[in-house]
Amino acid sequence: MSEKNLPPSRFLFCIIMISMFILILSSVFLLGFTNSSLIPKSVFKLILLNNSSVCLNREQIRLPLFSSDISLANAKAPLISGGLNCGNSCSAKYMPSTGQNMNNAYAPLKVFMYDLPPDFHFGLLGWKGKPNQTWPNVNNPDDIPPYPGGLNLQHSMEYWLTMDLLASNISTARPCSIIRVKNSSQANVVFVPFFSSVSYNRHSKLHRDQNISLDSYLQNKLVEFLMSQDEWKRLGGKDHLIVAHHPNSMLQARKKLGSAMFVLADFGRYPTEIANLQKDIIAPYKHIVKTISAGQSAPFHKRPILAYFQGAIYRKDGGIIRQELYYLLKDEKDVHFAFGTVQGKGVSQASRGMGSAKFCLHIAGDTPSSNRLFDAIVSHCVPVIISDDIELPFEDVLDYSEFCIFIRASDAVKNGYILNLLRGISKGQWDQDVEKIDGSFTTL
């Protein structure tokens, strides 16, 4: 049988497909056998609430920031600690002792922090230092203004990160895993100390004599300042870290500063070209309710409430599901599903309620996340997450499925689905979930 010649068009198509296959295959091998990725990774892979110390391999965070995924030793170690004492940080475990070569792995992360005027940070809390004084004296607790209470606390990440950097150079018995450097050329990351959440919460509304809110004014001045700095121009801002934990903070500036790394609560109100997991960090909320210690936590049989939710019920966007679940669950005798605020005794009521419940519902609201998850954790109330688009802090090292229950919104609204699922969980299973909460977190 004689062999037929391929038509020219089909022959050309085959050549193109073979060439594309070879190109893709070679790219895969190239990326697989190199220590670098084409996408810059965040250097703050672990931020400890109330203690921002980070354990990273220095060789993997050297500028420019084109490092591969960072492998973390002892990934199950507690992620959240309290206080500003560097001795409580991960550095005590991973840092070399005095006299050893500081070029070893787990050398301190070097952070350069801009000396922005107080108007951008502690001045927003009412602090007034001496003439030409930029920062409060962290050696004197009386000189440090407290962060506003109530719901403001949930977005206080900016405050704690700044405080830790200010305290990082204070002499201590054990070394910090982060240090503040005065020369930006020595830094691994550049920190922008703008209290954007306080600025939004307290200064985003226009007063009668204003054409622009103070919050908008500060954002504009911040953009103007950063764009003029050599540090920003060096890498186009890719090594800068900006905290915008409140979902509505940095509304005017976020697009212009989108090349920087953001510390966020979630991605609910950000387009993917501005914020994404390739460069940004999802950080935990600061809990609002009182922490219950393991010894004081009520056991399974002394928690009469099966499922607990208290908060705003009528929400927009993905939060419409709250209204649906309210009408589905509100009349169940062992379910507490009610409207609530932080006003009056709202926080103390929520503390008692969560401490008396076996399961606490974390339902999507205006945004996918809220501090309610962390309120549940400190109450030893097993979280039930009903939020399809949620991104959780430190998911690369912390398996939330070990102590949380995830329910798809489409399943949650089915009559009887949530109740049948929760009532089917035994005391033994519940005890294991609570133990895993204690194993993953210390005090929030």
Side-chain angles (χ1 to χ4, degrees):
M1 183 181 293
S2 62
E3 185 177 350
K4 295 182 179 180
N5 293 327
L6 288 173
S9 59
R10 189 173 177 183
F11 177 76
L12 181 61
F13 174 77
C14 292
I15 291 296
I16 292 173
M17 292 303 296
I18 293 172
S19 301
M20 290 180 63
F21 175 77
I22 294 173
L23 177 61
I24 293 171
L25 188 63
S26 62
S27 299
V28 169
F29 277 106
L30 178 63
L31 291 175
F33 290 99
T34 180
N35 290 326
S36 297
S37 155
L38 298 180
I39 303 173
K41 300 291 183 179
S42 300
V43 296
F44 274 24
K45 297 292 282 190
L46 286 180
I47 299 179
L48 309 187
L49 188 60
N50 295 5
N51 189 341
S52 63
S53 302
V54 183
C55 289
L56 298 179
N57 187 315
R58 188 181 188 183
E59 295 303 314
Q60 293 173 303
I61 55 176
R62 233 181 319 187
L63 297 181
L65 300 176
F66 292 101
S67 62
S68 57
D69 286 331
I70 297 170
S71 59
L72 295 172
N74 202 5
K76 294 297 181 181
L79 295 179
I80 299 178
S81 63
L84 295 172
N85 186 352
C86 293
N88 292 332
S89 74
C90 53
S91 61
K93 185 168 185 176
Y94 295 121
M95 287 288 295
S97 59
T98 304
Q100 286 185 297
N101 186 354
M102 296 302 290
N103 287 324
N104 291 344
Y106 305 111
L109 178 69
K110 296 180 179 179
V111 180
F112 175 78
M113 181 166 65
Y114 288 115
D115 285 318
L116 289 174
D119 292 346
F120 287 90
H121 41 82
F122 289 99
L124 293 170
L125 303 178
W127 178 77
K128 294 181 180 178
K130 299 176 181 178
N132 299 322
Q133 184 180 357
T134 302
W135 306 105
N137 180 8
V138 293
N139 284 308
N140 180 14
D142 294 334
D143 193 35
I144 303 171
Y147 201 86
L151 278 179
N152 290 289
L153 277 175
Q154 63 182 326
H155 300 300
S156 55
M157 179 64 65
E158 55 203 19
Y159 177 84
W160 301 114
L161 285 175
T162 304
M163 288 287 290
D164 276 357
L165 283 174
L166 292 175
S168 68
N169 299 105
I170 297 175
S171 298
T172 180
R174 284 176 286 182
C176 277
S177 55
I178 61 167
I179 57 171
R180 182 186 176 198
V181 295
K182 295 294 185 179
N183 188 337
S184 63
S185 64
Q186 299 174 348
N188 303 118
V189 66
V190 178
F191 183 69
V192 181
F194 175 42
F195 289 2
S196 60
S197 296
V198 175
S199 183
Y200 173 78
N201 279 328
R202 288 191 161 189
H203 303 291
S204 60
K205 294 181 179 179
L206 275 174
H207 297 290
R208 290 182 180 179
D209 57 342
Q210 290 181 327
N211 294 322
I212 183 174
S213 69
L214 177 59
D215 179 46
S216 295
Y217 172 80
L218 289 175
Q219 289 183 57
N220 293 337
K221 296 301 290 184
L222 181 67
V223 170
E224 181 182 326
F225 169 81
L226 290 176
M227 295 298 182
S228 67
Q229 300 303 302
D230 291 337
E231 288 82 6
W232 182 275
K233 296 175 183 177
R234 181 175 58 195
L235 289 173
K238 289 183 179 180
D239 58 344
H240 282 52
L241 190 77
I242 301 174
V243 184
H245 202 259
H246 193 291
N248 291 328
S249 62
M250 300 291 288
L251 282 175
Q252 286 77 34
R254 59 176 61 168
K255 186 174 182 179
K256 295 177 181 177
L257 303 179
S259 58
M261 296 176 286
F262 288 126
V263 177
L264 307 171
D266 57 49
F267 296 123
R269 294 184 179 173
Y270 282 81
T272 55
E273 64 270 18
I274 301 299
N276 55 75
L277 279 175
Q278 298 298 335
K279 70 178 185 68
D280 301 313
I281 302 133
I282 300 299
Y285 290 73
K286 173 71 174 70
H287 66 93
I288 303 300
V289 304
K290 183 180 179 181
T291 300
I292 300 176
S293 66
Q296 297 174 331
S297 178
F300 183 85
H301 65 279
K302 289 188 177 181
R303 290 178 177 250
I305 302 173
L306 175 69
Y308 183 92
F309 178 89
Q310 184 163 303
I313 293 173
Y314 300 98
R315 301 278 85 182
K316 57 187 178 181
D317 300 328
I320 294 175
I321 190 176
R322 287 192 185 181
Q323 183 178 341
E324 297 182 58
L325 293 177
Y326 170 71
Y327 290 111
L328 196 64
L329 300 173
K330 67 183 181 69
D331 295 326
E332 297 292 334
K333 62 179 182 180
D334 55 352
V335 173
H336 177 93
F337 202 120
F339 175 82
T341 69
V342 295
Q343 303 299 323
K345 297 182 179 180
V347 174
S348 59
Q349 289 173 354
S351 297
R352 289 193 297 271
M354 287 185 162
S356 302
K358 297 178 179 72
F359 302 97
C360 289
L361 304 180
H362 180 291
I363 311 170
D366 290 344
T367 57
S369 66
S370 76
N371 68 304
R372 194 169 282 103
L373 169 61
F374 300 95
D375 285 343
I377 287 171
V378 300
S379 303
H380 291 172
C381 181
V382 175
V384 179
I385 299 176
I386 309 171
S387 182
D388 294 348
D389 297 323
I390 195 169
E391 291 287 349
L392 295 166
F394 318 133
E395 281 189 282
D396 52 345
V397 294
L398 186 61
D399 185 359
Y400 285 84
S401 66
E402 290 188 344
F403 55 86
C404 295
I405 298 169
F406 290 85
I407 301 177
R408 290 187 179 276
S410 57
D411 291 328
V413 296
K414 295 176 182 176
N415 190 22
Y417 185 91
I418 293 177
L419 295 177
N420 291 335
L421 176 64
L422 298 184
R423 286 171 180 161
I425 295 175
S426 67
K427 174 185 179 300
Q429 289 175 296
W430 186 87
D431 287 341
Q432 287 179 7
D433 288 342
V434 173
E435 288 177 4
K436 288 173 182 176
I437 289 175
D438 287 334
S440 299
F441 296 88
T442 53
T443 32
L444 257 67

